Amino acid sequence: LGAVFFTGSNATARTIQQTLAARPGPIVPLVAETGGVNAMVVDSSALPEQACDSIVKSAFGSAGQRCSALRIVFVQEDIAASLKTMVQGAMALLRQASPPTLESDLGPLIDEAAARQIQRGCEHLQHTQTGAFLTQALANRPLNAEHDKRLFAPQLVEVSFPGDFSTEIFGPVLQWVMFKNDQFSQVLQAIEHAGWGLTLGLQSRSDRRAAQLAALPVGNLYVNREMTGAVVGSQPFGGQGLSGTGPKAGGFHTVFKAVTEKTVSNNLASSGGIPELFQ
């Protein structure tokens, strides 16, 4: 076994790491890309329609079961009420089907166990946060939907600032956090101190704020676009901290992680060589 490349949960990565460490023989390198409580920051300069579209796609696309999916959104309170109404309206139009069709927006979760785990995560949020769930009914829900226990309706839950970064809910559950303009630096601190570092989003027309977020220890920053769907070949993907060990998938250094560097040093003088000839 030369190396292990892994994509999955942080808990599974730790299990693999411990298993490899206890394995006899050579030390085996582990390259892991895990998930994270990925955040998006929306300030008052953001274009509301664009922000709404990016939030809904990032949080609920693929039923929220992508490691890069949006988990918590920080919205400046100056625009929070109107943007929340817009996001709820977009959620109400989402179409869920099992099996998914070309007309549906969401399919079922990977299995019933995932649905139960997400439900437990929602219950944990409900008991530990002061906010309220703001779920919207899905439009055009098929008649057979209630018979598929893998279907899970998108959830929007308001939580108090700065939010709960401790546990990732790997599904269509989005935490909504409002912040004041003078709390922007606290938002950045909360993101950095959480230790996750996979994807980060920003909806803003301020280049200065984009530079501030780019300085955070997060692998990928997406400005004024959705946070999922990194373009293969031009947008290497991967995290750091609790979200990965590097290098990034599709990046320049991936190949080097899979090879062994070797150096040969030969003392030519000891075998009668004349080093000056090589100068």
Coordinates of all heavy atoms in Angstrom, one line a residue, residues 82-177:
S82 N -35.8 41.1 3.8 CA -36.2 41.0 2.4 C -35.6 39.8 1.8 O -36.2 39.1 1.0 CB -35.9 42.3 1.7 OG -34.5 42.6 1.7
L83 N -34.3 39.6 2.0 CA -33.6 38.4 1.4 C -34.2 37.1 1.9 O -34.3 36.2 1.2 CB -32.1 38.5 1.7 CG -31.3 37.4 1.0 CD1 -31.4 37.4 -0.5 CD2 -29.8 37.5 1.4
K84 N -34.5 37.1 3.2 CA -35.1 35.8 3.8 C -36.5 35.5 3.1 O -36.8 34.4 2.8 CB -35.3 36.0 5.3 CG -35.9 34.7 5.9 CD -35.9 34.8 7.4 CE -36.9 35.8 7.9 NZ -37.0 35.9 9.4
T85 N -37.3 36.5 2.9 CA -38.5 36.4 2.2 C -38.3 35.8 0.8 O -39.0 34.9 0.3 CB -39.3 37.7 2.1 OG1 -39.6 38.1 3.4 CG2 -40.6 37.5 1.4
M86 N -37.3 36.3 0.1 CA -37.0 35.9 -1.2 C -36.5 34.4 -1.2 O -36.9 33.6 -2.1 CB -35.9 36.8 -1.8 CG -35.7 36.6 -3.3 SD -34.4 37.8 -3.9 CE -35.2 39.4 -3.6
V87 N -35.6 34.1 -0.3 CA -35.1 32.7 -0.2 C -36.3 31.7 0.1 O -36.4 30.6 -0.5 CB -34.0 32.6 0.9 CG1 -33.7 31.1 1.1 CG2 -32.8 33.4 0.4
Q88 N -37.1 32.1 1.1 CA -38.3 31.2 1.4 C -39.2 31.0 0.2 O -39.7 29.9 0.0 CB -39.1 31.8 2.6 CG -38.4 31.7 3.9 CD -39.2 32.3 5.0 OE1 -39.3 33.5 5.2 NE2 -39.8 31.4 5.8
G89 N -39.4 32.1 -0.6 CA -40.2 32.0 -1.8 C -39.6 31.0 -2.8 O -40.3 30.2 -3.4
A90 N -38.2 31.1 -2.9 CA -37.6 30.2 -3.9 C -37.6 28.7 -3.4 O -37.8 27.8 -4.1 CB -36.1 30.6 -4.0
M91 N -37.5 28.6 -2.0 CA -37.6 27.2 -1.5 C -39.0 26.6 -1.7 O -39.1 25.4 -2.0 CB -37.3 27.3 0.0 CG -35.9 27.6 0.4 SD -35.6 27.8 2.2 CE -36.1 26.1 2.8
A92 N -40.0 27.4 -1.6 CA -41.4 27.0 -1.8 C -41.6 26.5 -3.3 O -42.5 25.7 -3.5 CB -42.4 28.1 -1.5
L93 N -40.8 26.9 -4.2 CA -41.0 26.5 -5.6 C -40.1 25.3 -5.9 O -40.2 24.7 -7.1 CB -40.6 27.6 -6.5 CG -41.5 28.9 -6.4 CD1 -40.9 30.0 -7.3 CD2 -42.9 28.5 -6.8
L94 N -39.3 24.8 -5.0 CA -38.4 23.6 -5.3 C -39.3 22.4 -5.5 O -40.3 22.2 -4.7 CB -37.4 23.4 -4.2 CG -36.3 24.5 -4.0 CD1 -35.5 24.2 -2.8 CD2 -35.5 24.5 -5.2
R95 N -39.0 21.6 -6.4 CA -39.7 20.4 -6.7 C -38.9 19.1 -6.3 O -37.7 19.0 -6.7 CB -40.1 20.3 -8.2 CG -41.1 21.4 -8.5 CD -41.2 21.6 -10.0 NE -40.0 22.2 -10.5 CZ -39.8 22.6 -11.8 NH1 -40.8 22.5 -12.6 NH2 -38.6 23.1 -12.2
Q96 N -39.4 18.2 -5.5 CA -38.7 17.1 -5.1 C -39.4 15.8 -5.6 O -40.7 15.7 -5.6 CB -38.7 17.1 -3.5 CG -37.8 16.0 -2.9 CD -37.7 16.1 -1.4 OE1 -38.7 16.5 -0.8 NE2 -36.6 15.9 -0.8
A97 N -38.7 14.9 -6.0 CA -39.2 13.7 -6.6 C -38.4 12.4 -6.3 O -37.1 12.6 -6.2 CB -39.4 13.8 -8.1
S98 N -39.0 11.3 -6.2 CA -38.3 10.0 -6.1 C -39.0 9.0 -6.9 O -40.1 8.6 -6.6 CB -38.3 9.6 -4.6 OG -37.6 8.4 -4.5
P99 N -38.3 8.5 -8.0 CA -37.0 8.9 -8.4 C -37.0 10.3 -9.0 O -38.1 10.7 -9.5 CB -36.6 7.8 -9.5 CG -38.0 7.4 -10.0 CD -38.9 7.4 -8.8
P100 N -35.9 11.0 -9.1 CA -35.8 12.3 -9.6 C -36.1 12.3 -11.1 O -35.8 11.4 -11.8 CB -34.4 12.8 -9.3 CG -33.6 11.5 -9.2 CD -34.5 10.5 -8.6
T101 N -36.7 13.4 -11.6 CA -37.0 13.6 -13.0 C -36.3 14.8 -13.5 O -35.7 15.6 -12.7 CB -38.5 13.7 -13.2 OG1 -38.9 14.9 -12.5 CG2 -39.3 12.6 -12.6
L102 N -36.4 15.1 -14.8 CA -35.8 16.3 -15.4 C -36.4 17.5 -14.8 O -35.8 18.6 -14.8 CB -35.9 16.2 -16.9 CG -35.1 15.2 -17.6 CD1 -35.4 15.2 -19.1 CD2 -33.6 15.4 -17.4
E103 N -37.7 17.4 -14.4 CA -38.4 18.6 -13.9 C -38.2 18.8 -12.4 O -38.5 19.9 -11.9 CB -39.9 18.4 -14.1 CG -40.3 18.4 -15.6 CD -40.1 17.1 -16.3 OE1 -39.9 16.1 -15.5 OE2 -40.0 17.1 -17.5
S104 N -37.6 17.9 -11.7 CA -37.4 18.0 -10.2 C -36.1 18.7 -9.9 O -35.2 18.7 -10.7 CB -37.5 16.6 -9.6 OG -36.4 15.8 -10.0
D105 N -36.1 19.4 -8.7 CA -34.9 20.1 -8.3 C -34.1 19.3 -7.3 O -32.9 19.5 -7.1 CB -35.4 21.4 -7.6 CG -36.1 22.3 -8.6 OD1 -35.5 22.8 -9.6 OD2 -37.3 22.6 -8.4
L106 N -34.8 18.4 -6.5 CA -34.2 17.6 -5.5 C -34.6 16.2 -5.6 O -35.8 15.9 -5.9 CB -34.5 18.1 -4.1 CG -34.0 19.4 -3.6 CD1 -34.9 20.5 -4.0 CD2 -33.8 19.4 -2.1
G107 N -33.7 15.3 -5.5 CA -34.0 13.9 -5.4 C -33.9 13.4 -4.0 O -33.8 14.2 -3.0
P108 N -33.9 12.1 -3.8 CA -33.9 11.6 -2.4 C -32.4 11.6 -1.9 O -31.5 11.8 -2.6 CB -34.3 10.1 -2.6 CG -34.0 9.8 -4.0 CD -34.1 11.0 -4.8
L109 N -32.3 11.4 -0.6 CA -31.0 11.3 0.1 C -30.4 10.0 -0.3 O -31.0 9.1 -0.9 CB -31.1 11.4 1.6 CG -31.7 12.7 2.1 CD1 -31.9 12.7 3.6 CD2 -30.9 13.9 1.7
I110 N -29.1 9.8 0.1 CA -28.4 8.6 -0.3 C -29.1 7.3 0.3 O -29.1 6.3 -0.4 CB -26.9 8.7 0.1 CG1 -26.1 7.5 -0.6 CG2 -26.7 8.8 1.6 CD1 -24.6 7.7 -0.5
D111 N -29.6 7.4 1.5 CA -30.3 6.3 2.1 C -31.1 6.7 3.3 O -31.1 7.9 3.6 CB -29.3 5.2 2.5 CG -28.2 5.7 3.4 OD1 -28.4 6.6 4.2 OD2 -27.1 5.1 3.4
E112 N -31.9 5.8 3.8 CA -32.8 6.2 5.0 C -32.0 6.5 6.2 O -32.4 7.4 7.0 CB -33.7 5.0 5.3 CG -34.7 4.7 4.2 CD -35.7 3.6 4.5 OE1 -35.9 3.4 5.8 OE2 -36.3 3.0 3.6
A113 N -30.8 5.9 6.4 CA -30.0 6.2 7.5 C -29.5 7.7 7.5 O -29.5 8.3 8.5 CB -28.8 5.3 7.6
A114 N -29.3 8.2 6.3 CA -28.9 9.6 6.2 C -30.0 10.5 6.6 O -29.8 11.5 7.3 CB -28.5 9.9 4.7
A115 N -31.2 10.1 6.2 CA -32.4 10.9 6.6 C -32.6 11.0 8.1 O -32.9 12.0 8.7 CB -33.7 10.4 5.9
R116 N -32.4 9.8 8.7 CA -32.5 9.8 10.2 C -31.4 10.6 10.9 O -31.7 11.3 11.9 CB -32.4 8.3 10.7 CG -33.7 7.5 10.3 CD -33.7 6.2 11.0 NE -32.5 5.3 10.7 CZ -32.6 4.4 9.7 NH1 -33.7 4.3 9.0 NH2 -31.5 3.7 9.4
Q117 N -30.2 10.6 10.3 CA -29.1 11.3 10.9 C -29.4 12.8 10.8 O -29.1 13.6 11.7 CB -27.8 11.0 10.2 CG -26.6 11.6 10.9 CD -25.3 11.1 10.3 OE1 -25.3 10.2 9.4 NE2 -24.2 11.5 10.8
I118 N -29.9 13.2 9.6 CA -30.2 14.7 9.4 C -31.3 15.1 10.3 O -31.2 16.2 10.9 CB -30.6 14.9 7.9 CG1 -29.4 14.6 7.0 CG2 -31.1 16.3 7.7 CD1 -29.7 14.6 5.5
Q119 N -32.3 14.3 10.5 CA -33.3 14.6 11.5 C -32.8 14.8 12.9 O -33.2 15.7 13.6 CB -34.4 13.5 11.4 CG -35.6 13.8 12.3 CD -36.4 15.1 11.9 OE1 -36.6 15.3 10.8 NE2 -36.7 15.9 12.9
R120 N -31.9 14.0 13.3 CA -31.3 14.1 14.6 C -30.5 15.4 14.7 O -30.5 16.1 15.7 CB -30.4 12.9 14.9 CG -31.1 11.6 15.2 CD -30.2 10.6 15.8 NE -29.2 10.2 14.9 CZ -29.3 9.1 14.1 NH1 -30.4 8.4 14.0 NH2 -28.3 8.8 13.3
G121 N -29.8 15.8 13.6 CA -29.1 17.0 13.6 C -30.0 18.2 13.7 O -29.7 19.2 14.4
C122 N -31.2 18.2 13.1 CA -32.2 19.2 13.2 C -32.7 19.3 14.6 O -32.9 20.5 15.1 CB -33.3 19.0 12.2 SG -32.9 19.2 10.5
E123 N -33.0 18.2 15.2 CA -33.4 18.2 16.6 C -32.4 18.8 17.5 O -32.7 19.5 18.5 CB -33.8 16.8 17.0 CG -35.0 16.2 16.3 CD -35.2 14.7 16.5 OE1 -34.4 14.1 17.2 OE2 -36.2 14.2 16.0
H124 N -31.1 18.5 17.3 CA -30.0 19.1 18.1 C -30.0 20.6 17.9 O -29.9 21.3 18.9 CB -28.7 18.5 17.6 CG -27.5 19.2 18.3 ND1 -27.2 19.0 19.6 CD2 -26.6 20.1 17.8 CE1 -26.1 19.7 19.9 NE2 -25.7 20.4 18.8
L125 N -30.2 21.1 16.7 CA -30.2 22.6 16.5 C -31.4 23.2 17.2 O -31.4 24.3 17.8 CB -30.3 22.9 15.0 CG -29.1 22.9 14.2 CD1 -29.4 23.2 12.7 CD2 -28.1 23.9 14.7
Q126 N -32.5 22.5 17.2 CA -33.8 23.0 17.8 C -33.6 23.1 19.3 O -34.2 24.0 19.9 CB -34.9 22.1 17.4 CG -36.3 22.7 17.6 CD -37.4 21.9 17.0 OE1 -37.2 20.7 16.7 NE2 -38.5 22.5 16.7
H127 N -32.8 22.2 19.9 CA -32.7 22.3 21.3 C -31.6 23.2 21.8 O -31.5 23.6 23.0 CB -32.5 20.9 21.9 CG -33.7 20.0 21.9 ND1 -34.0 19.1 20.9 CD2 -34.7 19.9 22.7 CE1 -35.1 18.5 21.1 NE2 -35.6 19.0 22.2
T128 N -30.6 23.5 20.9 CA -29.4 24.2 21.3 C -29.4 25.6 20.8 O -28.6 26.5 21.3 CB -28.1 23.5 20.9 OG1 -28.2 23.4 19.4 CG2 -28.0 22.2 21.5
Q129 N -30.3 26.0 19.9 CA -30.3 27.3 19.3 C -31.6 28.0 19.7 O -32.6 27.4 20.0 CB -30.2 27.3 17.8 CG -28.9 26.6 17.3 CD -27.6 27.4 17.8 OE1 -27.6 28.7 17.8 NE2 -26.6 26.7 18.1
T130 N -31.6 29.3 19.7 CA -32.7 30.1 20.0 C -33.6 30.4 18.9 O -34.7 31.0 19.1 CB -32.3 31.5 20.7 OG1 -31.5 32.2 19.7 CG2 -31.5 31.2 21.9
G131 N -33.2 30.1 17.7 CA -34.0 30.4 16.5 C -35.1 29.5 16.2 O -35.4 28.6 17.0
A132 N -35.8 29.6 15.1 CA -36.9 28.8 14.7 C -36.7 28.2 13.3 O -36.1 28.9 12.5 CB -38.2 29.6 14.8
F133 N -37.3 27.1 13.1 CA -37.3 26.5 11.7 C -38.3 27.2 10.8 O -39.4 27.5 11.3 CB -37.6 25.0 11.8 CG -36.4 24.1 12.2 CD1 -36.1 24.0 13.5 CD2 -35.7 23.5 11.2 CE1 -35.0 23.2 13.9 CE2 -34.6 22.8 11.5 CZ -34.2 22.6 12.9
L134 N -37.9 27.4 9.6 CA -38.7 28.2 8.7 C -38.9 27.4 7.4 O -38.7 27.9 6.3 CB -38.0 29.5 8.3 CG -37.7 30.4 9.6 CD1 -36.9 31.6 9.2 CD2 -39.0 30.9 10.2
T135 N -39.2 26.1 7.5 CA -39.4 25.2 6.4 C -40.5 25.7 5.5 O -41.6 26.0 6.0 CB -39.6 23.8 6.8 OG1 -38.6 23.5 7.8 CG2 -39.5 22.8 5.7
Q136 N -40.3 25.6 4.2 CA -41.3 25.9 3.2 C -41.8 24.6 2.5 O -41.0 23.7 2.2 CB -40.8 26.8 2.1 CG -40.6 28.2 2.7 CD -41.9 29.0 3.0 OE1 -42.9 28.7 2.4 NE2 -41.9 29.8 4.0
A137 N -43.1 24.4 2.3 CA -43.6 23.3 1.6 C -43.1 23.2 0.2 O -43.0 24.3 -0.5 CB -45.1 23.3 1.6
L138 N -42.8 22.1 -0.3 CA -42.3 21.9 -1.7 C -43.4 21.9 -2.7 O -44.5 21.3 -2.5 CB -41.4 20.7 -1.9 CG -40.2 20.6 -0.9 CD1 -39.5 19.3 -1.2 CD2 -39.3 21.7 -1.2
A139 N -43.2 22.6 -3.8 CA -44.2 22.6 -4.9 C -44.2 21.3 -5.7 O -43.1 20.7 -5.8 CB -44.0 23.8 -5.8
N140 N -45.3 20.9 -6.2 CA -45.4 19.8 -7.1 C -44.8 18.5 -6.5 O -44.1 17.7 -7.2 CB -44.7 20.1 -8.4 CG -45.3 21.3 -9.1 OD1 -46.5 21.5 -9.1 ND2 -44.5 22.1 -9.7
R141 N -45.0 18.3 -5.2 CA -44.4 17.1 -4.6 C -45.2 15.9 -5.2 O -46.5 15.8 -5.1 CB -44.6 17.2 -3.1 CG -43.9 16.1 -2.3 CD -44.0 16.2 -0.8 NE -43.4 15.2 -0.1 CZ -42.3 15.3 0.6 NH1 -41.8 16.5 0.7 NH2 -41.8 14.3 1.3
P142 N -44.5 14.8 -5.7 CA -45.2 13.7 -6.3 C -46.0 12.9 -5.3 O -45.7 12.9 -4.1 CB -44.1 12.9 -6.9 CG -42.9 13.3 -6.1 CD -43.1 14.7 -5.7
L143 N -47.1 12.2 -5.8 CA -47.9 11.4 -4.9 C -47.2 10.3 -4.1 O -47.6 10.0 -3.0 CB -49.1 10.9 -5.7 CG -50.1 11.9 -6.3 CD1 -51.1 11.2 -7.1 CD2 -50.7 12.7 -5.2
N144 N -46.2 9.8 -4.7 CA -45.5 8.7 -4.1 C -44.4 9.2 -3.1 O -43.6 8.3 -2.6 CB -44.8 7.8 -5.2 CG -43.7 8.5 -5.9 OD1 -43.7 9.7 -6.1 ND2 -42.7 7.7 -6.3
A145 N -44.2 10.5 -2.9 CA -43.1 11.0 -2.1 C -43.2 10.5 -0.7 O -42.2 10.2 -0.1 CB -43.1 12.5 -2.2
E146 N -44.4 10.5 -0.1 CA -44.5 10.1 1.3 C -44.1 8.7 1.5 O -43.9 8.3 2.7 CB -45.9 10.3 1.8 CG -47.0 9.5 1.1 CD -47.6 10.2 -0.1 OE1 -46.9 11.1 -0.7 OE2 -48.8 9.9 -0.5
H147 N -44.0 7.8 0.5 CA -43.6 6.4 0.7 C -42.1 6.3 0.6 O -41.6 5.2 0.9 CB -44.3 5.6 -0.4 CG -45.8 5.7 -0.4 ND1 -46.5 5.4 0.7 CD2 -46.7 6.1 -1.3 CE1 -47.8 5.5 0.5 NE2 -47.9 6.0 -0.8
D148 N -41.4 7.3 0.2 CA -39.9 7.2 0.2 C -39.3 7.9 1.4 O -39.3 9.1 1.5 CB -39.4 7.8 -1.1 CG -37.9 7.5 -1.4 OD1 -37.2 7.2 -0.4 OD2 -37.5 7.5 -2.6
K149 N -38.8 7.1 2.3 CA -38.3 7.7 3.5 C -36.9 8.4 3.3 O -36.4 8.9 4.3 CB -38.1 6.6 4.6 CG -39.5 5.9 5.0 CD -39.3 4.9 6.0 CE -40.6 4.3 6.4 NZ -40.5 3.2 7.5
R150 N -36.4 8.3 2.1 CA -35.1 9.0 1.8 C -35.4 10.5 1.5 O -34.4 11.2 1.4 CB -34.4 8.3 0.7 CG -34.0 6.9 1.0 CD -33.5 6.2 -0.3 NE -34.4 6.3 -1.4 CZ -34.1 6.2 -2.7 NH1 -32.9 6.0 -3.0 NH2 -35.1 6.2 -3.6
L151 N -36.6 10.9 1.2 CA -36.9 12.3 0.9 C -36.8 13.1 2.1 O -37.4 12.7 3.2 CB -38.2 12.4 0.2 CG -38.3 11.8 -1.2 CD1 -39.7 11.8 -1.7 CD2 -37.4 12.6 -2.2
F152 N -36.2 14.2 2.0 CA -36.1 15.2 3.2 C -36.2 16.6 2.7 O -35.4 17.0 1.8 CB -34.7 15.0 3.9 CG -34.7 15.5 5.3 CD1 -34.9 14.7 6.3 CD2 -34.4 16.9 5.5 CE1 -34.9 15.2 7.6 CE2 -34.4 17.4 6.8 CZ -34.6 16.5 7.9
A153 N -37.3 17.3 3.1 CA -37.5 18.6 2.7 C -36.5 19.6 3.1 O -36.0 19.5 4.3 CB -38.9 19.1 3.2
P154 N -36.1 20.5 2.3 CA -35.1 21.5 2.7 C -35.5 22.3 4.0 O -36.7 22.6 4.1 CB -35.0 22.5 1.5 CG -35.4 21.6 0.4 CD -36.5 20.7 0.9
Q155 N -34.6 22.6 4.8 CA -34.9 23.3 6.1 C -34.1 24.6 6.1 O -32.9 24.6 5.8 CB -34.5 22.4 7.2 CG -35.0 21.0 7.2 CD -36.4 21.0 7.8 OE1 -36.8 21.7 8.7 NE2 -37.3 20.1 7.3
L156 N -34.8 25.6 6.6 CA -34.1 26.9 6.9 C -34.3 27.2 8.3 O -35.5 27.3 8.8 CB -34.7 28.0 6.0 CG -34.1 29.4 6.1 CD1 -32.6 29.4 5.7 CD2 -34.9 30.5 5.4
V157 N -33.3 27.4 9.1 CA -33.4 27.6 10.5 C -32.7 28.9 10.9 O -31.5 29.0 10.6 CB -33.0 26.4 11.3 CG1 -31.6 26.0 11.0 CG2 -33.1 26.6 12.8
E158 N -33.3 29.7 11.6 CA -32.7 31.0 12.2 C -32.0 30.6 13.5 O -32.6 30.0 14.4 CB -33.7 32.0 12.4 CG -34.2 32.7 11.2 CD -35.1 33.9 11.5 OE1 -35.9 33.8 12.4 OE2 -35.0 35.0 10.9
V159 N -30.7 31.0 13.5 CA -30.0 30.8 14.8 C -29.3 32.1 15.2 O -29.2 33.0 14.4 CB -28.9 29.7 14.6 CG1 -29.5 28.4 14.2 CG2 -27.9 30.1 13.6
S160 N -29.0 32.2 16.5 CA -28.4 33.4 17.0 C -27.0 33.5 16.6 O -26.3 32.6 16.3 CB -28.5 33.4 18.5 OG -27.9 32.3 19.1
F161 N -26.5 34.8 16.5 CA -25.1 35.1 16.1 C -24.2 34.5 17.3 O -24.5 34.7 18.4 CB -24.9 36.6 15.9 CG -23.5 36.9 15.5 CD1 -23.2 36.9 14.2 CD2 -22.6 37.4 16.4 CE1 -21.9 37.2 13.8 CE2 -21.3 37.7 16.0 CZ -21.0 37.6 14.7
P162 N -23.1 33.9 16.9 CA -22.5 33.7 15.6 C -22.9 32.4 14.9 O -22.3 32.0 13.9 CB -21.0 33.7 15.9 CG -20.9 33.1 17.2 CD -22.1 33.5 18.0
G163 N -23.8 31.6 15.5 CA -24.1 30.3 14.9 C -23.3 29.1 15.5 O -22.4 29.3 16.3
D164 N -23.7 27.9 15.1 CA -23.1 26.7 15.6 C -22.3 26.1 14.5 O -22.8 25.6 13.6 CB -24.2 25.7 16.1 CG -23.6 24.4 16.7 OD1 -22.4 24.4 16.9 OD2 -24.3 23.5 16.9
F165 N -20.9 26.1 14.7 CA -20.0 25.6 13.7 C -19.5 24.2 14.1 O -18.7 23.6 13.4 CB -18.8 26.5 13.6 CG -19.0 27.6 12.6 CD1 -19.5 28.8 13.0 CD2 -18.7 27.4 11.2 CE1 -19.6 29.8 12.0 CE2 -18.8 28.4 10.3 CZ -19.3 29.6 10.7
S166 N -20.0 23.6 15.2 CA -19.4 22.4 15.7 C -19.7 21.2 14.9 O -18.8 20.3 14.7 CB -19.9 22.2 17.1 OG -21.3 22.0 17.2
T167 N -20.9 21.0 14.3 CA -21.3 19.8 13.7 C -21.9 20.0 12.3 O -22.7 20.9 12.1 CB -22.3 19.0 14.5 OG1 -21.8 18.8 15.8 CG2 -22.6 17.6 13.9
E168 N -21.4 19.3 11.3 CA -21.9 19.4 9.9 C -23.2 18.5 9.8 O -23.1 17.3 10.1 CB -20.9 18.9 8.9 CG -21.4 19.0 7.5 CD -20.4 18.4 6.5 OE1 -19.5 17.7 6.9 OE2 -20.6 18.7 5.3
I169 N -24.3 19.1 9.3 CA -25.5 18.3 9.0 C -25.4 18.1 7.5 O -25.6 19.0 6.7 CB -26.7 19.0 9.4 CG1 -26.7 19.3 10.9 CG2 -28.0 18.2 9.0 CD1 -27.9 20.1 11.4
F170 N -25.1 16.9 7.1 CA -24.9 16.6 5.7 C -26.2 16.4 4.9 O -26.5 15.3 4.5 CB -24.0 15.3 5.6 CG -23.3 15.2 4.2 CD1 -22.3 16.1 3.8 CD2 -23.6 14.2 3.3 CE1 -21.7 16.0 2.6 CE2 -23.0 14.0 2.1 CZ -22.0 14.9 1.7
G171 N -26.9 17.5 4.7 CA -28.1 17.4 4.0 C -28.7 18.8 3.7 O -28.0 19.8 4.0
P172 N -29.9 18.9 3.3 CA -30.5 20.2 2.9 C -31.0 21.0 4.1 O -32.2 21.3 4.3 CB -31.7 19.8 2.0 CG -32.1 18.5 2.5 CD -30.8 17.8 3.0
V173 N -30.0 21.4 5.0 CA -30.4 22.1 6.2 C -29.5 23.4 6.2 O -28.2 23.2 6.2 CB -30.2 21.3 7.5 CG1 -30.5 22.2 8.7 CG2 -31.0 20.1 7.5
L174 N -30.1 24.5 6.2 CA -29.3 25.8 6.1 C -29.6 26.6 7.4 O -30.7 26.9 7.7 CB -29.7 26.6 4.9 CG -29.0 28.0 4.8 CD1 -27.5 27.8 4.7 CD2 -29.6 28.7 3.6
Q175 N -28.5 27.0 8.1 CA -28.6 27.9 9.2 C -28.5 29.4 8.8 O -27.6 29.7 8.0 CB -27.5 27.6 10.2 CG -27.6 26.2 10.8 CD -26.4 26.0 11.8 OE1 -26.3 26.7 12.8 NE2 -25.6 25.0 11.5
W176 N -29.4 30.2 9.3 CA -29.5 31.6 8.8 C -29.2 32.4 10.0 O -29.8 32.4 11.1 CB -31.0 31.9 8.4 CG -31.2 33.2 7.9 CD1 -31.5 34.4 8.7 CD2 -31.3 33.7 6.5 NE1 -31.7 35.5 7.9 CE2 -31.6 35.1 6.6 CE3 -31.1 33.0 5.3 CZ2 -31.8 35.8 5.4 CZ3 -31.3 33.8 4.2 CH2 -31.6 35.2 4.2
V177 N -28.1 33.2 9.9 CA -27.6 34.1 11.0 C -27.5 35.5 10.5 O -27.0 35.8 9.5 CB -26.2 33.6 11.4 CG1 -25.7 34.4 12.6 CG2 -26.2 32.1 11.8

